Amino acid sequence: MSSSRIDLSLPQLEAFVQVAASGSFRAAAAQIGISQPALSRAIGTAERTLGARLFDRDTRHVEITAVGRELLPVAQRILRDFDSALGELGEFMQGRSGRVTVAALPSVGAALVPAAMVALRRTHPAVEFTLIEAPAEELLVSVEEGRADLGLSVRPAAQQRLRYEHLLDDPMVLLCRADDPLAARGSVPWSVFAQRPFLASAPASSIRPITDAVLVQKRMMLRPALEYPSVTACGALVAAGLGITALPRLTLGLMSMKGLATVPLVRPQASRAIGIVTRIGRTLPPVARAFMAILRSAEARPTMSPAARRLAIRAARAPSIRT
């Protein structure tokens, strides 16, 4: 079965377009930056491939033929498309375009990712984003399997083929009702949970290992009054007066704080370590590396109110634990 495909190279098309534009082999060769004999050979090869002349020429004149006039708009379009494609590749290679897929814990995604996206788009307006929200275990698997370029999560287990780069410590705070006597205190020790109904996060949550570690350290054998399935549900349970709990500060952005209050937890002061997780051995696209640079900078860090900063400084004087 015969094919109608015509195999002309890009250099041949460029030589043809330049000769057609200038009406001179000499001028076209100078424009392209090759010798005139080399340009003539390129045109001759193209004509043999086509089986037709592209130019009628003598020692003084060069005139495009009917076949050449038919080829000219096609060749111009091919060269434009090629230049455009190379330009897009250059934008991608320099990190100015492309897609970043980020997997994040819901609280961390809400606190860090929007500001980082805005900051990157100031200099990289063509960048596109995909945001995956998932609990820690599922999130880390998505990075390990390559479905996400990077994750914003707690430290992965040692056996996972993942690299962890620490970003920040998310301090644990007590969450109670605003009319609870605890809300008026400057700080509260973890031992308070032995005296009040304690609401625990689900076992698969990134919060549960932190609270369990502190309770073990304090030798407190607590039976939770309830296990909540989400941070949003936790806020509603506390607001209803069903108990108190310990949460990382960043999770507070996921709930309505109406009727609720937070107090720094001390003795010990605990925090949730949050960092950038990437797969070992994977080369990230330039735009993903640019996004990581934004995350490392102050532009993506959550801000703290003056009152919260004073409470954090006061709590920092106590012994701490980081998990």
Side-chain angles (χ1 to χ4, degrees):
M1 183 175 178
S2 62
S3 172
S4 60
R5 176 186 173 92
I6 299 173
D7 291 320
L8 295 180
S9 68
L10 287 171
Q12 290 168 357
L13 292 175
E14 184 180 17
F16 164 69
V17 169
Q18 286 296 337
V19 173
S22 63
S24 164
F25 274 59
R26 179 180 296 176
Q31 183 70 28
I32 298 173
I34 62 175
S35 68
Q36 186 174 333
L39 182 135
S40 297
R41 285 194 297 272
I43 297 296
T45 301
E47 290 177 329
R48 286 192 293 275
T49 300
L50 292 168
R53 294 184 68 84
L54 295 173
F55 299 101
D56 290 326
R57 50 209 184 260
D58 56 31
T59 56
R60 294 186 178 182
H61 301 95
V62 174
E63 185 176 347
I64 192 167
T65 65
V67 172
R69 285 192 297 272
E70 192 71 21
L71 174 62
L72 184 58
V74 176
Q76 289 170 329
R77 185 177 71 248
I78 290 171
L79 292 173
R80 281 196 306 269
D81 290 347
F82 181 73
D83 288 342
S84 175
L86 282 185
E88 291 175 5
L89 178 61
E91 291 284 306
F92 176 83
M93 295 299 294
Q94 295 177 37
R96 291 197 292 265
S97 69
R99 177 177 293 277
V100 184
T101 300
V102 184
L105 297 170
S107 59
V108 179
L112 300 185
V113 174
M117 287 179 174
V118 170
L120 187 61
R121 277 196 168 156
R122 290 193 192 108
T123 53
H124 302 67
V127 170
E128 297 179 342
F129 294 96
T130 297
L131 177 60
I132 302 170
E133 285 191 344
E137 185 175 343
E138 182 182 333
L139 181 162
L140 295 173
V141 169
S142 70
V143 176
E144 196 169 23
E145 293 181 350
R147 288 182 281 114
D149 296 314
L150 59 106
L152 292 171
S153 182
V154 295
R155 188 184 299 273
Q159 67 269 23
Q160 293 178 287
R161 286 185 48 80
L162 297 171
R163 181 182 293 104
Y164 174 85
E165 178 185 341
H166 185 68
L167 278 182
L168 56 87
D169 294 315
D170 189 9
M172 300 292 291
V173 296
L174 176 135
L175 181 71
C176 63
R177 286 170 54 107
D179 58 4
D180 192 305
L182 294 174
R185 297 176 61 173
S187 63
V188 179
W190 282 78
S191 57
V192 72
F193 295 120
Q195 305 157 19
R196 303 278 295 275
F198 175 64
L199 306 182
S201 61
S205 164
S206 66
I207 302 170
R208 186 63 175 266
I210 303 171
T211 56
D212 284 354
V214 176
L215 296 177
V216 167
Q217 176 185 323
K218 300 289 290 183
R219 298 180 181 177
M220 296 167 59
M221 303 296 293
L222 293 185
R223 182 177 180 180
L226 280 170
E227 284 188 352
Y228 57 83
S230 68
V231 170
T232 304
C234 175
L237 294 171
V238 173
L242 292 170
I244 58 176
T245 194
L247 288 174
R249 190 185 302 278
L250 291 183
T251 63
L252 303 179
L254 300 179
M255 68 176 75
S256 169
M257 290 298 293
K258 184 178 180 180
L260 298 175
T262 61
V263 185
L265 280 165
V266 296
R267 298 200 297 272
Q269 181 192 11
S271 61
R272 179 178 63 167
I274 298 297
I276 301 173
V277 179
T278 54
R279 192 177 74 187
I280 294 173
R282 179 179 181 182
T283 301
L284 292 177
V287 68
R289 297 198 297 270
F291 187 69
M292 288 172 60
I294 292 289
L295 289 169
R296 297 184 191 105
S297 72
E299 292 179 90
R301 298 306 172 90
T303 57
M304 186 183 294
S305 69
R309 191 182 303 278
R310 287 194 295 271
L311 290 177
I313 293 171
R314 187 164 31 186
R317 294 170 183 161
S320 64
I321 180 172
R322 191 177 86 182
T323 61

